[in-house]
Amino acid sequence: MAEGAKVRRVRDLMTRDVLTASASDLLAATCSRMLERSVGSAVVVDDGRAVGILTERDLVRAAATGNLEAATVAEWMTPKPDTVGPDEEIYPAFTSLSQHGYRHFPVVEGDQLVGIISMRDMLELAQVLRVEHPGQIEARRGLEGVVVAETEVGDVRGQEGFYHYRQYNAVELAAKRSLEDVWHLLYEGHLPDAAEAAAFRDEIASLRSIPPAVKKLLPAIAIAGEHFVPLDALRTAYSLLAYTLDFKSWMDIDAATRRADAMRTSAVMPALIMALHRLSRGQEPVDPRPDLSYAANYLYMLTGEVPDPDRARAIEQYLILTTDHGFNSSTFTARVITSTGADLGSAVVGAIGALSGPLHGGAPSRALDMLDAIQTPDRAETWIRDAVLRGDRIMGFGHRIYKTDDPRSVMLRSVAERLGGSMVAFAKQVETTVVEVLAELKPGRSLYANVEFYAGVVMDECGIPRELFTPTFTSSRVIGWTAHVLEQAADNRLIRPSAHYAGPPPPRPVPELT
Ligand SMILES: CC(C)(COP(=O)(O)OP(=O)(O)OC[C@H]1O[C@@H](n2cnc3c(N)ncnc32)[C@H](O)[C@@H]1OP(=O)(O)O)[C@@H](O)C(=O)NCCC(=O)NCCS
């Protein structure tokens, strides 16, 4: 029974105005009265006592004999029916009714008939019982710890502070390989050899440019909103691109075309981000350069200048570290959309939407905003303590999966240290203070810096403006999303969970409009 629901008894739901008959009544006449009253049974009484019940089932049996004119109720009724008392609880009564296959119970108090309870009355049970669906498994809120699919793309081991792309440690990949190699690993299932790597780089470079039909409309998108919101503009422009390129339901295209849609999407994303950014500031977009690495080209399209290799490598490492991360919310969103048979463009648009939330991808600029607000190291502890006591979340800290150091944060801290810059020492001090304050005020929650805290510091040092932090995250995560989309399409099952309805009890009659 639903928690807090009051105990309901048969008396609360029974019909008091019972259609009764005598055993000596004619069957045909009783049948007419049942039709008039639109009820499925008549209780046969003798001096107020229920001695039988005549149900539709009895009438069907009688009709099969074909000779009803002189038949009496006594000949066809079910004698000595099971009854219930008015003070019995509704749930056991309902169970008994359904176990016996009855549709009606006469309600008897002492030896007198006082009502009847039917399946129809039992419909009201929906108001007092929690609805159970057959085979239903209760998942934890937020699907925490719930395994919903099999994947070969990668996984996160939160307790160990470890995550991997296919069989490789993602942090080691970021230390040793290029983004293009990691992309190849996710799409093709293995790290490329030198020849494969060169061919893959060329393929990506050839897909970087924005199609002319989209390029023409980007200025309108960049200035359409009252304020330029880069991720919203990117979602809009990418949706236009998927439409322009005529991406189709993956069910209507072959695996090679699905891969082509995925490659085109991931390859063109940086150009869309940077073109929109520049247009929003009244600048001409910078066309991508096929001779530059993915990361160097990313920074090149921002300024029009070939970036310093150390910065390009720092951004490349950030991009590698954020390419994939288990069944995070945006990846799950992409897979849910794909599971319906939708085109890859729809899955990516949905994933961008999921990523936009501050609880997912929208935090790195907020983490830097926090550093700005703290201003100086001596103010850190008071500022953080006040924020936590107010109930605020400290942006860039805490994680659903990691209950120890986030390995991405550890590596990005070292990337930030390698790059140097004014902010690094301050950020490290704030990190230590936040961890200490959270350990004191939120004991046992194991809250540490997540990927977003040092991501902001690294991107800032590489000259990426704050408003482009989440779009930059998008430009790497789209590779993970599309790898998952391809995997989902290759072995699909519609993802369609259930929910417990917790609103006002149904069914209530729909009121007429007065
Ligand atoms: C990422 C995040 C959403 C994970 O949340 P989650 O797994 O749902 O964890 P919960 O919201 O259940 O938090 C558990 C407890 O830790 C606290 N907590 C978690 N992150 C916190 C943070 N950044 N600052 C302060 N308290 C935090 C919660 O208030 C909660 O405390 P309570 O038990 O007193 O209610 C959460 O840590 C957060 O909001 N972080 C800040 C935003 C951020 O950095 N996002 C980027 C993620 S990569």
Side-chain angles (χ1 to χ4, degrees):
M1 183 177 296
E3 220 174 288
K6 88 178 175 61
V7 173
R8 305 284 291 270
R9 305 202 179 269
V10 168
R11 178 185 303 285
D12 300 329
L13 296 183
M14 71 184 191
T15 303
R16 288 181 164 74
D17 182 17
V18 190
L19 179 69
T20 58
S22 298
S24 57
D25 285 351
L26 285 175
L27 191 67
T30 308
C31 197
S32 303
R33 289 169 55 221
M34 285 168 65
L35 268 176
E36 266 167 39
R37 287 272 300 268
S38 192
V39 293
S41 71
V43 181
V44 186
V45 288
D46 180 9
D47 204 14
R49 286 173 299 112
V51 294
I53 187 164
L54 185 72
T55 66
E56 284 163 339
R57 214 180 293 166
D58 299 323
L59 295 175
V60 171
R61 281 192 300 119
T65 68
N67 180 16
L68 298 182
E69 233 169 275
T72 61
V73 169
E75 290 167 54
W76 293 103
M77 72 179 190
T78 304
K80 296 188 192 152
D82 285 343
T83 60
V84 284
D87 292 319
E88 281 189 35
E89 272 187 37
I90 202 76
Y91 183 60
F94 171 70
T95 310
S96 173
L97 200 64
S98 48
Q99 273 169 359
H100 287 88
Y102 300 148
R103 292 184 52 209
H104 305 88
F105 264 153
V107 184
V108 171
E109 191 164 27
D111 66 350
Q112 293 294 298
L113 179 74
V114 293
I116 188 159
I117 188 148
S118 67
M119 268 295 179
R120 203 191 309 177
D121 301 322
M122 293 293 182
L123 272 182
E124 288 224 9
L125 265 181
Q127 297 179 19
V128 292
L129 294 179
R130 193 172 178 122
V131 180
E132 301 294 344
H133 300 289
Q136 183 169 271
I137 297 164
E138 192 80 29
R140 275 189 257 160
R141 257 164 77 80
L143 296 183
E144 188 169 354
V146 176
V147 174
V148 293
E150 290 214 333
T151 180
E152 293 181 7
V153 177
D155 195 19
V156 183
R157 296 192 201 154
Q159 298 298 336
E160 296 165 43
F162 169 73
Y163 74 116
H164 56 107
Y165 300 159
R166 302 215 181 260
Q167 65 273 46
Y168 300 107
N169 180 341
V171 172
E172 199 184 337
L173 284 168
K176 294 184 178 166
R177 303 294 292 241
S178 68
L179 178 73
E180 288 88 336
D181 287 357
V182 172
W183 185 344
H184 186 283
L185 172 69
L186 293 190
Y187 273 32
E188 310 299 340
H190 65 273
L191 280 170
D193 60 24
E196 285 172 322
F200 199 68
R201 265 201 310 275
D202 289 349
E203 187 185 355
I204 293 167
S206 73
L207 298 170
R208 271 182 192 154
S209 300
I210 302 167
V214 177
K215 202 171 177 184
K216 206 168 61 190
L217 293 170
L218 288 185
I221 295 173
I223 58 160
E226 204 171 310
H227 312 287
F228 177 66
V229 182
L231 202 66
D232 293 2
L234 178 65
R235 169 169 45 71
T236 309
Y238 172 71
S239 184
L240 174 67
L241 177 125
Y243 168 66
T244 306
L245 297 181
D246 200 21
F247 287 178
K248 293 194 169 55
S249 159
W250 61 261
M251 295 180 141
D252 298 332
I253 54 179
D254 60 16
T257 312
R258 286 178 215 155
R259 182 188 175 280
D261 290 352
M263 282 295 281
R264 186 73 169 106
T265 289
S266 299
V268 78
M269 205 57 89
L272 288 178
I273 294 167
M274 291 309 179
L276 288 164
H277 170 72
R278 290 182 63 91
L279 286 165
S280 76
R281 301 171 158 229
Q283 298 168 330
E284 271 301 302
V286 174
D287 285 336
R289 277 214 356 212
D291 57 317
L292 296 176
S293 73
Y294 182 96
N297 180 57
Y298 190 79
L299 292 175
Y300 168 73
M301 288 189 298
L302 175 62
T303 60
E305 282 167 29
V306 176
D308 160 61
D310 290 343
R311 297 221 155 123
R313 180 61 183 150
I315 283 303
E316 178 166 54
Q317 289 182 308
Y318 165 75
L319 295 172
I320 294 172
L321 289 170
T322 50
T323 300
D324 188 51
H325 205 238
F327 258 54
N328 60 86
S329 306
S330 56
T331 300
F332 184 52
T333 303
R335 290 192 74 131
V336 170
I337 295 173
T338 303
S339 83
T340 69
D343 69 293
L344 181 132
S346 298
V348 170
V349 169
I352 295 174
L355 192 74
S356 69
L359 300 188
H360 188 9
S365 55
R366 292 171 194 242
L368 277 200
D369 293 345
M370 175 177 76
L371 292 182
D372 284 353
I374 294 174
Q375 288 175 359
T376 52
D378 56 301
R379 284 167 38 96
E381 183 170 349
T382 315
W383 194 96
I384 295 156
R385 195 172 281 280
D386 288 352
V388 177
L389 289 174
R390 251 197 330 267
D392 290 354
R393 300 257 163 153
I394 307 296
M395 288 296 147
F397 289 82
H399 198 268
R400 172 61 63 83
I401 306 284
Y402 292 121
K403 299 303 170 198
T404 178
D405 281 325
D406 180 335
R408 303 167 299 176
S409 151
V410 175
M411 178 153 193
L412 286 171
R413 190 199 297 133
S414 73
V415 172
E417 282 168 346
R418 195 181 73 219
L419 282 173
S422 56
M423 214 189 299
V424 185
F426 179 40
K428 281 167 64 180
Q429 197 223 334
V430 169
E431 180 198 7
T432 309
T433 311
V434 173
V435 171
E436 281 168 7
V437 171
L438 286 174
E440 182 195 327
L441 299 180
K442 296 270 175 187
R445 271 52 151 227
S446 304
L447 300 167
Y448 300 94
N450 62 44
V451 62
E452 311 248 327
F453 187 64
Y454 284 104
V457 178
V458 168
M459 284 192 268
D460 187 73
E461 195 52 45
C462 291
I464 296 181
R466 249 171 239 206
E467 62 172 21
L468 288 188
F469 285 2
T470 304
T472 303
F473 185 7
T474 310
S475 76
S476 60
R477 187 51 63 85
V478 70
I479 297 169
W481 292 335
T482 47
H484 277 275
V485 164
L486 295 176
E487 188 180 62
Q488 182 72 36
D491 182 18
N492 187 51
R493 172 139 176 94
L494 178 69
I495 301 174
R496 202 298 190 192
S498 305
H500 272 307
Y501 172 74
R508 284 272 180 264
V510 177
E512 301 291 342
L513 190 62
T514 51

